Amino acid sequence: MPDHILIVAGDPSADRHAASLITALKSKRPGIRISALGGTYLKKSADHFLYPLVGVGGFGFWEPIFKLPQLWSALQKVKQLLEKDPPDLVIPIDYYGFNIRVAKLAQQQGIPVAYYISPQVWASRPGRIKELAAVVKKMLVIFPFEADLYKAAGVPVAFVGHPLLEQIPSPGSPAAAPLMGLLPGSRRGTIQRHLPVLLATALRLHARFPDLRCVLFRPEEIGDDFYKPYVHAHPWIQVTADPLYEQRKSLWLAISVSGTAALENMLLGIPMIIMYKLSALTYRIAKSLIRVRYVGIPNILAGKLVVTERLQDEATPERLADDALDLLSHASKRQAARSSLLSLRSLLQDGGSSRAADEILGMMA
């Protein structure tokens, strides 16, 4: 029987990184068999697709409660596979709340676990490191500071580099006319919470810059129809998935949620304002748990504020519009921001999928 791996991804960015990992694995070991739970990319890449986990969501403190039936169904698929067609290795990707259960199930069956792309234990809930240490054979991390964190905790770890560098094109040139990106998130609940704020911000700016065009970027898993009620009256706002970043790299600036979207903007050198809003109760809980000074990856990597962050009560159309207006009005500030962001690219390492595949195949040997 050929080698068999189970990969579990629960969000759109992990889904793409998992597909890149499969490409690397199959190029190094043709015939390897992949089972997966994930999204659009894993459905195309895996030999056996078990469940559309990316479509479930379940992020935050309360949202997973409402997703329990789907999450339970997904976990049953994992259990059945582990019992009837056990893989040689299980690879959970981020998505801690679900994947820690997958890892525990694998450990109970005596199947080794290589956890690829660490949950953000460095940002909050560091106690999760102990739980991970108890069930994983090795952590494969994508930021250099994560390796130091796991080494200090005595967890076997390898820094493999960030797979996003394989997917992001070279930075482009800004469009001739003002062009602003709106990135409200990749999950429906997150988008619904942020989109009204971003649209109100865009309307304020459009009143000052009548030739301003906006591009609203959506994940491939969510179709245009989801956005039509928000943008149908504004023909100067275009909705696109843009998987190859062709439109993104020509932006003058972006207003973006934190996370992968902000990292993508950084790698493309796009000046941005980072924003995020949570429910009042969730924000209070999150604030008590957060252990980092900044939430945006560019600021965390730089160790200082290189990108404005507007969180919770500060994430208002008025403040976001003022921040964006400053960038729209001053080409020199946009260029300075672009240079600062692109300089951070050297802190990451290319070839992450290939090195991760080498680590995984080494563990299987």
Side-chain angles (χ1 to χ4, degrees):
M1 287 288 289
D3 293 324
H4 181 201
I5 290 176
L6 170 64
I7 297 178
V8 185
D11 60 69
S13 59
D15 185 49
R16 292 188 72 174
H17 299 332
S20 297
L21 177 62
I22 290 175
T23 299
L25 285 167
K26 286 183 175 285
S27 71
K28 295 170 185 288
R29 187 167 297 179
I32 195 168
R33 190 161 55 99
I34 308 292
S35 298
L37 294 80
T40 306
Y41 286 88
L42 273 175
K43 191 170 186 178
K44 295 176 184 176
S45 304
D47 301 295
H48 182 202
F49 188 73
L50 297 173
Y51 195 87
L53 187 60
V54 169
V56 175
F59 172 79
F61 297 104
W62 317 119
E63 187 179 340
I65 296 173
F66 302 104
K67 305 290 185 177
L68 281 177
Q70 297 103 306
L71 294 170
W72 185 87
S73 296
L75 201 60
Q76 297 316 300
K77 294 288 186 181
V78 173
K79 286 182 178 179
Q80 291 168 16
L81 183 81
L82 295 182
E83 292 169 1
K84 297 178 180 178
D85 185 17
D88 301 292
L89 188 72
V90 172
I91 306 174
I93 302 182
D94 199 356
Y95 204 58
Y96 178 87
F98 184 85
N99 273 334
I100 190 65
R101 289 165 175 79
V102 171
K104 288 177 179 179
L105 286 173
Q107 186 199 41
Q108 289 166 12
Q109 296 286 339
I111 301 169
V113 175
Y115 208 118
Y116 180 41
I117 305 182
S118 170
Q120 293 183 354
V121 294
W122 38 269
S124 66
R125 289 176 277 190
R128 288 178 167 181
I129 294 179
K130 291 183 179 179
E131 285 197 73
L132 289 166
V135 294
V136 304
K137 186 173 182 181
K138 200 167 201 177
M139 293 294 305
L140 307 178
V141 299
I142 59 176
F143 293 112
F145 59 82
E146 292 175 322
D148 296 335
L149 186 67
Y150 281 105
K151 284 176 184 175
V155 182
V157 61
F159 167 56
V160 297
H162 206 297
L164 193 56
L165 273 74
E166 305 157 18
Q167 301 160 17
I168 293 281
S170 299
S173 300
L179 185 64
M180 184 172 74
L182 305 175
L183 294 101
S186 60
R187 298 180 178 90
R188 290 175 184 265
T190 306
I191 295 166
Q192 289 170 326
R193 188 166 59 249
H194 292 144
L195 196 47
V197 178
L198 292 183
L199 290 177
T201 302
L203 286 169
R204 294 176 73 90
L205 291 167
H206 194 252
R208 294 285 304 270
F209 286 83
D211 58 342
L212 175 68
R213 290 186 301 116
C214 288
V215 182
L216 172 56
F217 295 92
R218 65 170 178 83
E220 291 180 272
E221 292 77 13
I222 302 178
D224 287 346
D225 288 346
F226 178 82
Y227 298 87
K228 283 181 180 177
Y230 296 97
V231 303
H232 73 279
H234 310 299
W236 48 276
I237 301 178
Q238 175 194 358
V239 179
T240 182
D242 195 35
L244 300 179
Y245 304 94
E246 289 301 317
Q247 289 179 281
R248 182 98 73 98
K249 65 184 183 182
S250 63
L251 296 177
W252 281 32
L253 76 155
I255 305 178
S256 169
V257 293
S258 56
T260 300
L263 181 57
E264 291 169 336
N265 292 336
M266 184 196 91
L267 295 175
L268 291 167
I270 299 168
M272 70 183 121
I273 302 111
I274 290 174
M275 62 87 68
Y276 212 94
K277 291 179 76 73
L278 297 165
S279 70
L281 180 57
T282 300
Y283 179 71
R284 271 208 304 272
I285 296 171
K287 194 173 181 181
S288 69
L289 296 173
I290 293 296
R291 299 165 57 88
V292 290
R293 188 175 179 183
Y294 309 111
V295 302
I297 288 293
N299 294 331
I300 292 170
L301 287 173
K304 62 181 180 180
L305 197 69
V306 294
V307 174
T308 298
E309 295 183 356
R310 295 295 184 192
L311 310 177
Q312 206 59 13
D313 293 340
E314 288 194 354
T316 64
E318 295 78 16
R319 291 200 175 188
L320 292 171
D322 286 344
D323 295 332
L325 184 63
D326 192 38
L327 287 168
L328 282 171
S329 303
H330 299 94
S332 59
K333 290 188 177 181
R334 294 197 303 274
Q335 184 55 49
R338 178 183 175 87
S339 298
S340 295
L341 292 169
L342 289 177
S343 70
L344 297 174
R345 188 173 182 135
S346 63
L347 299 178
L348 303 179
Q349 190 169 342
D350 205 347
S353 297
S354 180
R355 272 188 295 275
D358 287 338
E359 291 284 345
I360 288 161
L361 295 175
M363 291 171 65
M364 295 176 72

